[in-house]
Amino acid sequence: QKNTFIKKVISGNFSDKFINEFLIIKLKNLDLFEININGIIKFISSSLIFGLITSIAKLKVPNSNKNLINCGSNAGGISFLKYSNNDIWVNIFTHFFGRSGCRRIIPGYHICNDLKGRACIIAAVEKLRFVYIINHKFKDSGIISSPVEIQKSNSIITNIVALENKFNNPCFATIEIDKHEMNDLSKSFIIRISKFLVFYEFDLGLNILVTSYLVKLNIESHIIIPLHYEFINTPSCLINNNKFIILKNKYRKEIFLTLPKRIDEEINSDNILTTFASFIYKN
């Protein structure tokens, strides 16, 4: 019996048939489905994985309608996969950077690609993250160069997304928890926790990652929703917490929107409204 636990769902064009497809990622399987013109979901193929996928993302190929996927696994590496004509996923390129991908300081728990397919960032839960430049020398191929390593101690990443920045440098947004120890008068350690929104911009010319924007968030903030570039012509995103949706960007003031509440929340203040998923529709 196959495992029915769904880890993530990715939509795109993987088989180059100019139709809507979505990939269901399970613990041991990759199941590909298509949606035809009549709106009927059709099963295409299922591939068995000899390992555990910790993170996965869709990769756009320039000058092509076909999408690739790259993923981190428990083997401690990043892999690029493409869907072949034989209804199987083929490994294009793999780069290993750790003996195991199940440790908190080994990158692989978070992965995110630039919307133009130029760079990708793969990060660990704590401290370490790698940025790769993706070279598309051949058709439907993804070859990466040596990674740019960024170490940030006492920092825990909870969420990471790619922001649209047109043909400027790739931009990524993260929610990070900064923890540091402080001594009080009783000579005991107190851990202070703060949460920050950080915009990283990867300079393709100098091959460095620059922190372009940093702001402190409410401790309840937990999810990032990226916005399209045409919205205010600058990389921007929405931050969700238990009470508000906040518009964040580098050049304009914050805009707050109160989340709708249920009637019984005013009576019982113990009920907390939490957002755990989002979807962006572009008309």
Side-chain angles (χ1 to χ4, degrees):
Q1 184 178 2
K2 291 185 179 179
N3 196 332
T4 57
F5 174 75
I6 297 176
K7 185 176 181 65
K8 195 174 182 180
V9 179
I10 301 175
S11 63
N13 183 13
F14 304 104
S15 59
D16 203 8
K17 295 180 181 179
F18 300 99
I19 55 176
N20 295 324
E21 297 173 336
F22 61 93
L23 181 67
I24 297 179
I25 296 94
K26 300 179 180 179
L27 289 179
K28 295 290 183 180
N29 298 86
L30 291 177
D31 296 340
L32 185 63
F33 295 83
E34 69 176 23
I35 304 175
N36 58 16
I37 303 175
N38 300 324
I40 300 174
I41 298 176
K42 179 183 176 182
F43 174 76
I44 300 178
S45 67
S46 179
S47 302
L48 183 65
I49 303 170
F50 296 97
L52 180 64
I53 292 179
T54 55
S55 60
I56 193 168
K58 178 182 69 175
L59 177 63
K60 179 179 173 59
V61 180
N63 302 323
S64 176
N65 294 320
K66 191 173 182 179
N67 297 123
L68 308 178
I69 60 173
N70 54 351
C71 59
S73 64
N74 61 345
I78 180 174
S79 301
F80 289 78
L81 308 175
K82 76 172 181 177
Y83 192 74
S84 66
N85 297 327
N86 299 326
D87 294 338
I88 58 174
W89 290 94
V90 179
N91 186 11
I92 303 174
F93 189 83
T94 303
H95 181 260
F96 292 97
F97 40 72
R99 294 184 179 181
S100 172
C102 297
R103 300 171 61 198
R104 65 177 185 176
I105 60 172
I106 300 297
Y109 191 78
H110 300 282
I111 190 169
C112 188
N113 297 317
D114 174 46
L115 300 181
K116 299 293 183 182
R118 299 169 295 175
C120 74
I121 182 170
I122 183 168
V125 177
E126 185 178 357
K127 187 178 181 179
L128 192 60
R129 60 210 75 176
F130 289 145
V131 181
Y132 293 92
I133 297 178
I134 304 174
N135 301 319
H136 300 278
K137 293 184 179 180
F138 306 101
K139 184 180 179 181
D140 300 337
S141 65
I143 302 174
I144 56 179
S145 59
S146 298
V148 177
E149 181 178 341
I150 299 98
Q151 293 192 13
K152 194 173 181 181
S153 59
N154 298 326
S155 177
I156 299 174
I157 296 180
T158 61
N159 198 357
I160 180 170
V161 297
L163 300 180
E164 189 174 354
N165 201 17
K166 288 294 184 180
F167 290 99
N168 299 325
N169 290 325
C171 189
F172 304 97
T174 64
I175 292 180
E176 301 182 5
I177 299 175
D178 183 41
K179 57 185 181 67
H180 55 277
E181 296 179 350
M182 299 181 63
N183 287 325
D184 59 358
L185 298 177
S186 61
K187 297 182 180 181
S188 61
F189 288 101
I190 299 175
I191 298 178
R192 298 290 179 89
I193 296 177
S194 302
K195 196 172 272 191
F196 294 92
L197 172 67
V198 187
F199 283 9
Y200 291 106
E201 190 171 336
F202 185 69
D203 195 319
L204 296 173
L206 300 177
N207 204 23
I208 57 173
L209 190 70
V210 181
T211 302
S212 60
Y213 179 66
L214 188 146
V215 63
K216 190 173 182 180
L217 296 176
N218 192 324
I219 197 66
E220 298 174 349
S221 304
H222 57 279
I223 190 172
I224 308 176
I225 304 175
L227 295 177
H228 295 288
Y229 189 85
E230 292 83 0
F231 186 68
I232 50 177
N233 294 327
T234 182
S236 56
C237 63
L238 297 176
I239 303 296
N240 284 29
N241 57 26
N242 297 339
K243 297 179 181 179
F244 302 100
I245 298 178
I246 311 169
L247 174 64
K248 293 279 189 178
N249 60 76
K250 295 189 290 185
Y251 304 109
R252 297 194 180 187
K253 292 183 179 181
E254 301 175 351
I255 300 176
F256 290 82
L257 175 64
T258 306
L259 290 173
K261 296 182 179 180
R262 297 173 56 179
I263 299 176
D264 57 350
E265 284 192 11
E266 298 179 359
I267 303 173
N268 187 6
S269 60
D270 295 334
N271 294 335
I272 298 175
L273 183 65
T274 303
T275 305
F276 58 88
S278 63
F279 180 76
I280 301 174
Y281 176 75
K282 185 177 181 180
N283 190 359

